[in-house]
Amino acid sequence: MAQVKTMIARRAVYNQTVRELNVLTNRELADLGLSRYDIETVAREAAYGK
């Protein structure tokens, strides 16, 4: 059961990160050194590690 809770929490982190990065403009993402193509990778790393 603990593993299920962990997976749900990680997925929530992934979803939140994607939402937050998607509201940024391309210029704001570029200032962070990111592009739109990087959003899912960054979210995956934030939630699940490298």
Side-chain angles (χ1 to χ4, degrees):
M1 192 65 166
Q3 187 177 12
V4 172
K5 288 182 182 180
T6 300
M7 292 305 295
I8 290 170
R10 287 182 177 176
R11 188 63 184 186
V13 169
Y14 175 86
N15 290 336
Q16 182 67 29
T17 304
V18 169
R19 276 193 303 274
E20 289 178 4
L21 291 175
N22 273 327
V23 299
L24 298 177
T25 65
N26 289 338
R27 175 63 186 257
E28 291 169 327
L29 287 170
D31 287 346
L32 296 172
L34 302 172
S35 70
R36 295 251 166 235
Y37 299 107
D38 298 321
I39 290 175
E40 289 183 11
T41 301
V42 169
R44 194 176 312 108
E45 289 177 3
Y48 305 105
K50 290 190 177 185

